[in-house]
Amino acid sequence: MTILVTGGAGFIGSNFVLDWLKTSDEPVVTLDALTYAGNLENLAALKNDARHTFVKGDICDRALVDQLLNQHRPRALVHFAAESHVDRSISGPGAFMRTNIEGTYTLLEAARAHWSGLSEEDKAAWRFHHVSTDEVYGSLTPEAAPFSETNTYEPNSPYSASKAASDHLVRAWHHTYGLPVVTTNCSNNYGPFHFPEKLIPLMIVNALAGKALPIYGDGKNVRDWLYVTDHASAIRAVLKGGRVGETYNIGGWNEMTNLDIVHTVCALLDELRPDAAGSYTRLITYVKDRPGHDRRYAIDARKVERELGWRPAETFATGIRKTVQWYLDNPEWVARVQSGAYRDWVTQQYQA
Ligand code: NAD
Ligand code: DAU
């Protein structure tokens, strides 16, 4: 038995692969194009691990995906690969349309061809697990109920529109062709290996460098935050026991404003790495708002708990402490990401 993971060198994908091989011996084949967001250093712990195979390649490359399915005959495909940063989708939506929509379409078609040739027993057990986001549901007012799986799709950014499109493709491939799919829509993740363009890691690395902590708008936008290994355990639970054709919302039951997040990060840094110049909160700077900035996301994660018994293991207090500590303990990772040296890792480590 083997699983094929796309986007496994990114933030969530790498945490998922590392966790998977900690909790099981089932081999993993990782397919990742190593865009700016892909960092093989995240998977360095697996360099000599025979259970892990890394393949550099594009999910839009049908011939490559066909070859990997034929060669490794995975029992499941777990699809993380995506362009994931909302701000980048605003300045350059093209890559999002290509990877998130065309890439998902390519994987679905390759998966369908492969799956059609399996025995009835293997067909029933096969899974296409699509990893998606809560952003497809749009923005909530302060008093609205959290997103449930039956909320209408109202994506507002090029990123969320491309993810919504991919969710619809996955749904259609199940309804039309019977492909056994499951989709998870998750809230904001945080934790180790988070690329420092996203709120939490950006605030940590900027604070440590004495740089401004840019808050978009009034800082009162609300997100639900989930520690990344809890997302990994939720995906494992859905892959194992989720009902085919269903979607499951995954969240941390932890709604916070961006300002509260940044104050929490500053307080932890004040404790763990005090700065003679004073509290890191002095670096908080209000900047121009993100265009079309969604005001509030919140997740109703009762379905996954009711059906599969999943709940997050970390509280925000425990998860954010681990996260800040990880960035303090891994300055070389941060430095190589910031200098761009992480992109040489494939050459150094895999072709030497
Ligand atoms: P990321 O940007 O950190 O990683 C994306 C990975 O995909 C990178 O390794 C990149 O190299 C790879 N990739 C991009 N284009 C590719 C292509 N054409 N072919 C092959 N590989 C390609 O993203 P992330 O934050 O780890 O998110 C992973 C998935 O989870 C995405 O689908 C995202 O929409 C979803 N998601 C993210 C969050 C979050 O908070 N980060 C929350 C919910 C859902
Ligand atoms: O909700 C899930 C989504 O969470 C995922 O699908 C996306 O892939 C992931 O990037 C994330 O999207 P957000 O836009 O919520 O995350 P980001 O870290 O970019 O921003 C979080 C909030 O912080 C948002 O309200 C914008 C704000 N922000 C962000 C940055 C980078 C700032 O105020 N300042 C910043 O510098």
Side-chain angles (χ1 to χ4, degrees):
M1 302 240 285
T2 296
I3 60 165
L4 174 60
V5 172
T6 72
F11 162 50
I12 305 175
S14 61
N15 276 286
F16 173 82
V17 170
L18 291 168
D19 245 41
W20 180 272
L21 292 173
K22 251 186 227 156
T23 52
S24 106
D25 272 334
E26 184 175 3
V28 177
V29 177
T30 298
L31 169 63
D32 195 299
L34 297 179
T35 68
Y36 82 93
N39 184 349
L40 261 188
E41 285 192 47
N42 300 356
L43 297 172
L46 303 177
K47 185 174 185 283
N48 297 314
D49 192 325
R51 299 171 303 169
H52 184 241
T53 305
F54 179 78
V55 179
K56 183 175 184 302
D58 194 324
I59 58 167
C60 298
D61 181 346
R62 173 69 192 269
L64 173 63
V65 178
D66 283 345
Q67 183 229 305
L68 291 176
L69 290 170
N70 285 334
Q71 183 185 344
H72 297 282
R73 308 198 68 73
R75 64 156 178 115
L77 190 161
V78 186
H79 176 31
F80 293 93
E83 290 291 337
S84 70
H85 191 37
V86 173
D87 294 326
R88 287 181 190 256
S89 82
I90 295 167
S91 55
F96 289 72
M97 303 307 127
R98 183 179 179 277
T99 288
N100 299 0
I101 305 177
E102 189 191 330
T104 303
Y105 161 71
T106 306
L107 292 175
L108 285 166
E109 276 295 80
R112 180 164 79 91
H114 175 74
W115 172 80
S116 308
L118 299 177
S119 68
E120 288 310 311
E121 194 189 343
D122 288 349
K123 264 180 153 174
W126 212 83
R127 288 293 179 276
F128 185 105
H129 186 131
H130 180 53
V131 179
S132 193
T133 172
D134 60 359
E135 300 201 9
V136 297
Y137 298 120
S139 185
L140 292 168
T141 56
E143 59 286 343
F147 300 130
S148 83
E149 289 80 359
T150 53
N151 271 58
T152 51
Y153 270 41
E154 294 176 358
N156 291 320
S157 71
Y159 163 69
S160 54
S162 68
K163 290 297 290 188
S166 69
D167 291 10
H168 291 323
L169 294 177
V170 170
R171 176 189 161 88
W173 260 243
H174 172 63
H175 278 266
T176 304
Y177 304 113
L179 189 71
V181 307
V182 280
T183 295
T184 43
N185 293 86
C186 188
S187 59
N188 286 58
N189 287 214
Y190 66 99
F193 305 121
H194 205 180
F195 199 81
E197 62 182 354
K198 309 278 170 68
L199 180 72
I200 289 180
L202 183 75
M203 295 300 140
I204 299 171
V205 306
N206 274 15
L208 291 172
K211 290 187 184 161
L213 307 180
I215 307 284
Y216 298 165
D218 64 3
K220 298 206 175 123
N221 301 66
V222 171
R223 298 289 182 267
D224 169 75
W225 292 92
L226 179 71
Y227 192 65
V228 64
T229 52
D230 278 326
H231 190 183
S233 72
I235 292 170
R236 286 201 304 274
V238 172
L239 189 58
K240 186 167 173 207
R243 285 182 293 133
V244 169
E246 292 288 317
T247 65
Y248 292 87
N249 283 358
I250 313 294
W253 299 106
N254 178 55
E255 284 183 60
M256 288 176 76
T257 65
N258 295 337
L259 263 182
D260 284 343
I261 292 286
V262 175
H263 277 282
T264 306
V265 166
C266 288
L268 278 166
L269 287 171
D270 287 340
E271 176 196 329
L272 299 169
R273 184 67 57 83
D275 185 344
S279 171
Y280 291 99
T281 53
R282 74 185 191 283
L283 300 170
I284 291 177
T285 309
Y286 290 86
V287 300
K288 194 163 151 292
D289 208 354
R290 170 186 281 173
H293 197 173
D294 284 339
R295 193 63 175 167
R296 173 177 169 239
Y297 304 143
I299 280 274
D300 176 346
R302 282 178 297 178
K303 179 176 173 182
V304 68
E305 179 168 5
R306 193 172 59 244
E307 290 192 15
L308 303 171
W310 178 88
R311 266 190 82 82
E314 300 288 345
T315 63
F316 188 70
T318 59
I320 193 67
R321 182 172 283 276
K322 282 186 188 177
T323 304
V324 170
Q325 192 63 57
W326 187 87
Y327 281 86
L328 290 172
D329 292 344
N330 290 278
E332 304 83 11
W333 183 91
V334 173
R336 281 197 291 271
V337 165
Q338 288 180 325
S339 72
Y342 72 106
R343 306 201 74 173
D344 301 336
W345 184 257
V346 194
T347 327
Q348 287 166 18
Q349 301 294 322
Y350 284 78
Q351 288 160 17

